[in-house]
Amino acid sequence: MKQMTVGDFKAQFSSVLEEVMQGEEIQILYGRLKKPVACLTKLAEKPKRKKRPLGSYEGKATYWEDESFEFTPEMLFDNMNDLL
């Protein structure tokens, strides 16, 4: 694992990101004591989602989920009050 100070990191930011994308791990050191405060690593690939089975509707219906779908607890409780 490569180590570098905050000043070196700021001065070489673009090249540091290139190294991280190649798989290098870089530890950032801070202050006079050069205390480790962060570690940069390559971001893992996001796994693809598996399709959900539809049970008895398999082959009869389709299902999709919009990436922007959001359902908050407040929305759930608001809808429950309508049912009661």
Side-chain angles (χ1 to χ4, degrees), residues 34-82:
K34 296 184 179 177
K35 180 180 175 184
V37 293
C39 182
L40 297 175
T41 60
K42 185 175 179 178
L43 189 61
E45 293 287 326
K46 201 174 187 182
K48 291 187 177 185
R49 292 183 180 182
K50 294 181 182 177
K51 288 190 175 185
R52 290 181 165 183
L54 293 175
S56 62
Y57 287 104
E58 188 73 43
K60 300 176 187 172
T62 59
Y63 167 81
W64 61 272
E65 184 177 313
D66 188 5
E67 293 290 327
S68 64
F69 178 75
E70 185 176 311
F71 195 80
T72 63
E74 291 81 20
M75 294 168 70
L76 175 65
F77 292 121
D78 287 345
N79 290 335
M80 285 180 65
N81 290 334
D82 293 340

Side-chain angles (χ1 to χ4, degrees), residues 18-31:
E18 289 292 329
E19 289 180 40
V20 170
M21 288 190 298
Q22 297 299 321
E24 180 77 35
E25 290 187 2
I26 300 178
Q27 193 174 44
I28 308 299
L29 308 174
Y30 180 74

